Amino acid sequence: MTVTIYDVAREAGVSMATVSRVVNNNPNVKPQTRKKVFEAIEQLGYRPNAVARGLASKKTTTVGVVIPDISNSIFAEVARGIEDIANMYHYNIILCNADKKKDKEIRVVNTLLEKQVDGLLFMGGVVTDEHNQAFRTSSVPIVLCATTDEQGAIPSVDIDHESAAYDAVSLLIAKGHRNIAMIAGSLQDPALGYARFQGYKRAMTEAGLKVLDEMIRSGNYRYESGVEAMNYFLESDNRPDAVFAATDEMAIGAIHAIQDHGLKVPDDISVVSIDNTRMASMVRPQLTTVAQPMYDIGAVSMRLLTKLMNKENVEQTRIVLPHEIIQRKSVAPV
Amino acid sequence: MTVTIYDVAREAGVSMATVSRVVNNNPNVKPQTRKKVFEAIEQLGYRPNAVARGLASKKTTTVGVVIPDISNSIFAEVARGIEDIANMYHYNIILCNADKKKDKEIRVVNTLLEKQVDGLLFMGGVVTDEHNQAFRTSSVPIVLCATTDEQGAIPSVDIDHESAAYDAVSLLIAKGHRNIAMIAGSLQDPALGYARFQGYKRAMTEAGLKVLDEMIRSGNYRYESGVEAMNYFLESDNRPDAVFAATDEMAIGAIHAIQDHGLKVPDDISVVSIDNTRMASMVRPQLTTVAQPMYDIGAVSMRLLTKLMNKENVEQTRIVLPHEIIQRKSVAPV
DNA sequence: CTGTTAGCGCTTTCAT
DNA sequence: ATGAAAGCGCTAACAG
């Protein structure tokens, strides 16, 4: 039924080993023989079985990637970077959504390992002890992508969220704003939510400004939570004159909340955030935001992983990519 | 080094077959034996090798999905639907971007087949003869996802783009608009761009309205091309009073172009589109659009694929999912 | 309920 | 430059 390497060998009048050699581009084959084999392959419509090859060679040329949610554009962009580089190095990608649920994350890491992936890219929220435990049983390299572990024991590629937040808030301060609110993410999330909050705090403190509890609301990174949080600020008696949102989406929510209250951005209230998703230039006013190089994070982490899988010597296993503030139209001088 | 089923068997004092049985949940094992085996597994930290299993059983419990671009939110949403259902049926996903490039599409289909996926989900633009050729050599089922072949020979799940467009334009007409422009996609793309254009034409014609060349511009489905196209209309001497855009993104571009010209949506010009991406409710005014159930398209096509892989009898192999017009704030009566 | 025994389709020494 | 043969780790009859 299915044609195997053996059939090709018979058809070409050579041994399996020889067929294997030509399929794998081993130079030790006489051109003439190579030709015969190719003809037989063509003739029979032979398609190498990658599973058998994987079993025999102990390499599958596929890497597993666990991602919180592929339908979230931030992660989708990272995934695209991963895929492009993987492709370039002839790896395929097994993609698993894990929704930032610890149990699911650990489960998929295990099934990925069972599938004998040659390496693992882990994109998630927190890296707990249980994660480390699961990672430790892996015989293949793992790199954290768009996150880091606190001990810095595992190779990772990310931006410095704290300093990105610091820069965003500092811009606001430089423009003369003093009464600056923050729409934060989850403060339980050390790699992102909390780090961005820390950056806000540091910028405020260094500028001699007070960090007031009532000027901080936590959202879930999404649009709706941005409008909710902003509505809260709008209705408080100490209305901020600028808002720093932990994500573009929440910032856009905030902008609309402000506009729906009959106020103007940036004339009445300035807004700045982090991410620089495509949407940032698809709002009016266009969003001033700190660009997170998501595609590059994916690309660089995949590249790092290829080196690790290749057992190359890598000096830097903890890579921090630079961020950049993109000034558009949502921030005004006071 | 790596612990195999054989090691577990020895440790537990049973045969490989028995270990295999307990790992695969075969009921024919005495509870006591099962327990012994589990202990040995635990002890040794045994992790079944899915590649070996795949070779022996000729099933990999993974399906391949070829997708144009995972960083495009439309496709990402489909992918999420696929993943969720795949997960539910214990399949994993190998994801390959193919950028709607025919060569790349065919190449990845082949490598996916080499990897012995149990089934294939194909999301792409046009399905050419060459595609069909590649599909035909497959011994595993294939379903087209968010596209169809013209002959209808291959199982597929999609919406009826023509009628979605028809409904969108008809809404405009019902509201009293007569001078309706269209920002189309690629008219070379039969499954989407052209079908949506056909729907526009039919709605116009049936209403006794003229389809004017100068009222139609082609974009590339993206935001920028929406603003470009709209600018063209805005500067022409026959300004439309309503615009139908083939995608939300282009519609949002159009809205901003209109606003940047000092006009109002929908007061001066109404805008309607197709997609209902999350962004549709993240613009002001919120976008009236035809909802394309992307998640469901992914979910349903994966479900269909599971049935096919299972050799179940399926009556309907060409599924057309319903669309629905979502009226928000971008369309006004004249 | 459990064990024996062939493979699955390929890679990889080791010879020649 | 090529072939023979031993696995890779597991499943699936088959036998008992």
Side-chain angles (χ1 to χ4, degrees):
Chain A
M1 174 71 234
T2 65
V3 6
T4 74
I5 201 173
Y6 181 76
D7 301 318
V8 176
R10 202 162 19 76
E11 176 79 17
V14 299
S15 73
M16 287 165 52
T18 300
V19 177
S20 174
R21 287 193 187 95
V22 347
V23 169
N24 293 294
N25 259 306
N26 183 317
N28 289 352
V29 182
K30 222 194 303 182
Q32 203 188 113
T33 320
R34 183 182 303 276
K35 182 155 167 293
K36 269 195 313 192
V37 172
F38 272 132
E39 283 168 2
I41 287 178
E42 177 76 9
Q43 245 253 52
L44 271 45
Y46 169 66
R47 182 161 21 222
N49 180 327
V51 171
R53 173 183 294 169
L55 184 58
S57 69
K58 296 171 161 305
K59 286 197 177 340
T60 54
T61 62
T62 106
V63 321
V65 358
V66 0
I67 197 173
D69 177 8
I70 192 61
S71 66
N72 180 145
S73 64
I74 300 271
F75 300 124
E77 189 70 27
V78 180
R80 180 69 214 220
I82 293 173
E83 237 270 341
D84 283 356
I85 304 302
N87 216 308
M88 191 173 297
Y89 287 88
H90 302 294
Y91 283 100
N92 292 107
I93 288 300
I94 301 190
L95 221 245
C96 295
N97 285 105
D99 299 307
K100 293 203 181 186
K101 301 270 201 304
K102 191 178 64 182
D103 290 3
K104 206 169 172 197
E105 285 172 349
I106 290 172
R107 190 154 17 100
V108 303
V109 165
N110 281 317
T111 87
L112 255 10
L113 260 16
E114 286 183 8
K115 297 241 180 198
Q116 312 299 119
V117 293
D118 294 338
L120 211 49
L121 245 24
F122 184 85
M123 217 178 314
V126 199
V127 176
T128 67
D129 287 348
E130 283 180 72
H131 288 84
N132 279 312
Q133 172 109 18
F135 293 163
R136 209 167 314 115
T137 69
S138 165
S139 55
V140 298
I142 297 181
V143 355
L144 304 179
C145 180
T147 188
T148 35
D149 59 327
E150 283 167 278
Q151 308 96 116
I154 307 171
S156 65
V157 178
D158 202 359
I159 65 163
D160 183 340
H161 296 277
E162 197 270 350
S163 111
Y166 176 85
D167 291 352
V169 176
S170 295
L171 173 73
L172 256 14
I173 294 171
K175 297 283 186 183
H177 298 280
R178 292 290 170 269
N179 202 199
I180 304 172
M182 171 165 188
I183 304 179
S186 163
L187 301 185
Q188 260 59 260
D189 177 356
L192 199 157
Y194 190 66
R196 292 184 180 181
F197 171 64
Q198 286 295 318
Y200 164 80
K201 245 169 58 177
R202 181 160 65 92
M204 295 294 278
T205 311
E206 287 187 10
L209 300 172
K210 285 232 170 56
V211 175
L212 274 16
D213 272 3
E214 69 266 30
M215 291 301 260
I216 294 152
R217 303 294 288 173
S218 271
N220 65 356
Y221 304 109
R222 297 301 221 173
Y223 179 80
E224 292 73 19
S225 70
V227 347
E228 252 169 56
M230 193 65 223
N231 281 336
Y232 171 87
F233 293 135
L234 255 10
E235 279 148 23
S236 78
D237 28 56
N238 179 18
R239 205 181 76 195
D241 57 7
V243 177
F244 164 54
T247 65
D248 281 1
E249 258 201 47
M250 293 197 295
I252 295 173
I255 288 178
H256 288 154
I258 294 167
Q259 292 170 340
D260 291 350
H261 271 250
L263 297 174
K264 291 204 147 189
V265 178
D267 312 57
D268 297 306
I269 301 182
S270 289
V271 176
V272 66
S273 60
I274 301 185
D275 278 350
N276 194 36
T277 52
R278 296 186 63 240
M279 282 177 321
S281 40
M282 291 171 57
V283 229
R284 294 304 143 100
Q286 294 183 86
L287 194 55
T288 291
T289 182
V290 178
Q292 243 194 126
M294 300 316 295
Y295 180 92
D296 294 350
I297 289 178
V300 170
S301 58
M302 184 64 213
R303 180 63 184 107
L304 174 57
L305 186 59
T306 63
K307 287 180 185 165
L308 262 16
M309 291 188 296
N310 234 7
K311 301 196 187 327
E312 292 176 33
N313 242 72
V314 298
E315 51 319 319
Q316 258 287 42
T317 60
R318 186 165 209 181
I319 299 177
V320 176
L321 259 25
H323 55 266
E324 179 193 359
I325 193 149
I326 310 287
Q327 299 208 37
R328 282 193 276 250
K329 310 276 180 67
S330 64
V331 173
V334 167
Chain B
M1 176 70 234
T2 66
V3 5
T4 73
I5 201 173
Y6 181 75
D7 300 319
V8 177
R10 199 162 23 73
E11 176 79 18
V14 299
S15 72
M16 286 165 52
T18 300
V19 178
S20 174
R21 287 193 188 95
V22 347
V23 169
N24 293 295
N25 258 305
N26 182 317
N28 290 351
V29 182
K30 219 196 302 181
Q32 202 189 114
T33 319
R34 183 181 303 275
K35 183 154 166 293
K36 268 195 311 192
V37 172
F38 272 132
E39 284 168 1
I41 287 178
E42 177 76 7
Q43 246 253 52
L44 271 42
Y46 169 66
R47 180 160 23 220
N49 180 326
V51 172
R53 172 184 293 168
L55 183 58
S57 69
K58 296 172 160 304
K59 283 192 179 345
T60 54
T61 62
T62 106
V63 321
V65 358
V66 359
I67 196 171
D69 176 8
I70 192 61
S71 67
N72 181 144
S73 63
I74 300 272
F75 299 124
E77 189 71 27
V78 180
R80 181 69 214 218
I82 293 173
E83 237 269 340
D84 282 355
I85 303 302
N87 217 307
M88 192 172 300
Y89 287 88
H90 302 292
Y91 283 100
N92 291 107
I93 289 300
I94 301 190
L95 221 243
C96 295
N97 285 105
D99 298 308
K100 294 203 180 184
K101 302 269 200 308
K102 190 178 66 182
D103 290 1
K104 207 170 172 196
E105 284 172 350
I106 290 173
R107 189 153 19 98
V108 302
V109 165
N110 280 319
T111 87
L112 254 11
L113 260 15
E114 285 183 8
K115 297 240 181 199
Q116 313 299 118
V117 293
D118 294 338
L120 211 49
L121 246 24
F122 184 86
M123 217 179 310
V126 199
V127 176
T128 67
D129 286 349
E130 282 180 72
H131 287 85
N132 278 312
Q133 172 109 16
F135 293 163
R136 210 168 312 114
T137 68
S138 165
S139 56
V140 298
I142 296 181
V143 355
L144 304 178
C145 180
T147 188
T148 34
D149 59 327
E150 283 167 279
Q151 307 98 117
I154 307 172
S156 65
V157 179
D158 202 358
I159 66 163
D160 182 340
H161 296 277
E162 196 269 351
S163 113
Y166 177 86
D167 291 351
V169 177
S170 295
L171 173 73
L172 254 17
I173 294 171
K175 297 284 187 181
H177 298 280
R178 292 289 170 268
N179 202 199
I180 303 172
M182 172 164 187
I183 303 179
S186 164
L187 302 185
Q188 260 59 261
D189 176 356
L192 198 156
Y194 191 65
R196 290 183 181 182
F197 171 64
Q198 286 295 316
Y200 164 80
K201 244 168 60 177
R202 181 160 66 91
M204 295 294 278
T205 312
E206 286 186 11
L209 300 173
K210 285 230 169 59
V211 174
L212 274 16
D213 272 2
E214 70 266 30
M215 291 301 260
I216 294 153
R217 304 293 289 173
S218 270
N220 65 356
Y221 305 109
R222 297 303 220 171
Y223 179 81
E224 292 72 18
S225 70
V227 346
E228 252 169 57
M230 193 67 224
N231 282 335
Y232 172 87
F233 294 135
L234 255 10
E235 280 148 21
S236 78
D237 28 56
N238 179 18
R239 206 182 74 195
D241 57 6
V243 177
F244 164 54
T247 65
D248 280 1
E249 258 201 46
M250 294 197 294
I252 294 173
I255 288 177
H256 287 153
I258 295 167
Q259 292 171 340
D260 291 350
H261 271 250
L263 298 173
K264 290 205 150 190
V265 178
D267 312 58
D268 299 305
I269 303 182
S270 289
V271 176
V272 66
S273 61
I274 300 186
D275 279 349
N276 194 35
T277 52
R278 298 186 62 240
M279 282 177 321
S281 41
M282 290 170 57
V283 229
R284 295 303 142 102
Q286 294 183 89
L287 194 54
T288 290
T289 183
V290 178
Q292 244 196 123
M294 300 315 297
Y295 180 92
D296 294 351
I297 289 179
V300 170
S301 58
M302 183 66 214
R303 180 64 184 107
L304 173 57
L305 186 60
T306 63
K307 288 180 184 163
L308 262 16
M309 291 188 296
N310 235 4
K311 302 198 186 327
E312 292 177 33
N313 243 72
V314 298
E315 51 319 321
Q316 260 286 44
T317 60
R318 186 164 211 183
I319 299 176
V320 176
L321 259 25
H323 54 266
E324 179 193 358
I325 192 149
I326 310 286
Q327 299 207 37
R328 281 192 275 249
K329 310 277 180 64
S330 64
V331 173
V334 168

